[in-house]
């Protein structure tokens, strides 16, 4: 299931490499002197929210032990930095040759995916908030002239897939517990239990 979103983002990043300088010229036209360190902090915000809710006693999708095992920091770090060492893409600010993919963005989207999987069933706005923060992280990396658009797209894909595979591994290690992805949890029509004037089904449940 994770490949339905993750793989297109990574492929999109590879394709977008041909247009990197176009997006950089746009950034330099509107924000030539922009500089902020907020992206170093907000990449962890979805994780902080998730842990805060756990500590506050809000019941999530999985118990503590399984959630911690599903934490995909090691998985996405190995993937991200292995690709960086192979591709050697120069950063927009020419400070290093480790631009592709964006580690900050991978971390942010991994965190957002975990937050969504743990608490997205409570309210869709939790998922929207998490992914909005992750998207803001990627945008800030471009605004800071630290990454190309292609780096951001690929980083997002790697982050999402890392979290999904992390939960897949946790499911394998805890076969008797409820799976992190259960097709029965996908509700196509909940008008009776949760009436609303607006609804979306995207074909993918995180």
């Amino acid at each position: 299931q994770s490949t339905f979103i993750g793989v297109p983002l990574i492929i999109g990043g590879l394709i977008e490499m041909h247009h990197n300088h176009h997006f950089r010229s746009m950034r330099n036209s509107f924000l030539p002197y922009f500089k902020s360190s907020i992206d170093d902090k907000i990449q962890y915000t979805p994780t902080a929210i998730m842990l805060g809710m756990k500590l506050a006693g809000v019941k999530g999708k999985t118990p503590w032990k399984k959630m911690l095992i599903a934490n995909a920091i090691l998985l996405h770090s190995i993937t991200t930095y292995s690709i960086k060492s192979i591709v050697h893409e120069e950063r927009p600010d020419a400070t290093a040759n480790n631009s592709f993919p964006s580690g900050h963005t991978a971390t942010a989207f991994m965190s957002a995916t975990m937050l969504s999987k743990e608490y997205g069933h409570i309210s869709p706005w939790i998922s929207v908030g998490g992914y909005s923060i992750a998207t803001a992280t990627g945008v800030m990396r471009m605004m800071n002239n630290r990454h190309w658009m292609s780096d951001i797209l690929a980083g997002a894909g790697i982050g999402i897939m890392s979290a999904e595979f992390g939960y897949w591994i946790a499911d394998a290690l805890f076969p008797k517990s409820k799976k992190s992805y259960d097709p029965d949890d996908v509700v196509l029509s909940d008008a009776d239990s949760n009436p609303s004037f607006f609804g979306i089904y995207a074909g993918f449940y995180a």
Side-chain angles (χ1 to χ4, degrees):
Q1 292 290 327
S2 66
T3 58
F4 295 166
I5 297 177
V7 169
L9 283 170
I10 295 173
I11 293 176
L14 293 172
I15 295 173
E16 191 58 41
M17 281 184 168
H18 298 290
H19 303 283
N20 276 337
H21 291 278
H22 171 68
F23 281 97
R24 184 177 182 232
S25 64
M26 290 176 60
R27 178 264 176 195
N28 290 342
S29 296
F30 292 100
L31 300 165
Y33 304 110
F34 181 87
K35 188 173 180 62
S36 174
S37 62
I38 192 172
D39 48 343
D40 292 329
K41 303 175 181 64
I42 63 173
Q43 61 177 316
Y44 302 110
T45 300
T47 296
I49 294 172
M50 179 182 68
L51 294 177
M53 294 179 72
K54 280 280 189 183
L55 290 171
V58 181
K59 187 177 181 181
K61 192 84 170 181
T62 58
W64 270 102
K65 184 183 293 185
K66 185 174 180 180
M67 185 196 74
L68 292 175
I69 289 178
N71 192 305
I73 292 177
L74 181 62
L75 183 60
H76 99 72
S77 295
I78 292 175
T79 303
T80 299
Y81 291 102
S82 295
I83 296 175
K84 283 178 179 288
S85 64
I86 294 172
V87 177
H88 289 294
E89 178 75 8
E90 185 179 41
R91 289 183 182 270
D93 60 3
T95 57
N97 293 322
N98 60 351
S99 189
F100 183 90
S102 169
H104 281 64
T105 308
T107 298
F109 274 88
M110 179 208 71
S111 300
T113 301
M114 290 189 68
L115 175 63
S116 178
K117 290 182 75 67
E118 290 293 329
Y119 293 108
H121 63 281
I122 295 177
S123 170
W125 292 109
I126 293 177
S127 299
V128 170
Y131 284 113
S132 295
I133 293 171
T135 301
T137 301
V139 172
M140 288 289 292
R141 296 304 284 166
M142 288 192 294
M143 291 170 63
N144 276 319
N145 205 31
R146 295 291 289 162
H147 279 291
W148 311 98
M149 172 65 83
S150 58
D151 307 338
I152 304 306
L153 292 173
I158 290 171
I160 292 171
M161 292 182 67
S162 295
E164 293 289 346
F165 278 110
Y167 274 94
W168 179 78
I169 293 171
D171 284 341
L173 294 176
F174 294 90
K176 294 183 180 180
S177 67
K178 185 179 180 180
K179 301 298 182 183
S180 60
Y181 171 76
D182 188 345
D184 293 335
D185 288 336
V186 181
V187 180
L188 298 181
S189 177
D190 61 350
D192 295 331
S193 61
N194 187 22
S196 173
F197 291 104
F198 178 74
I200 294 177
Y201 174 64
F204 179 81
Y205 181 79

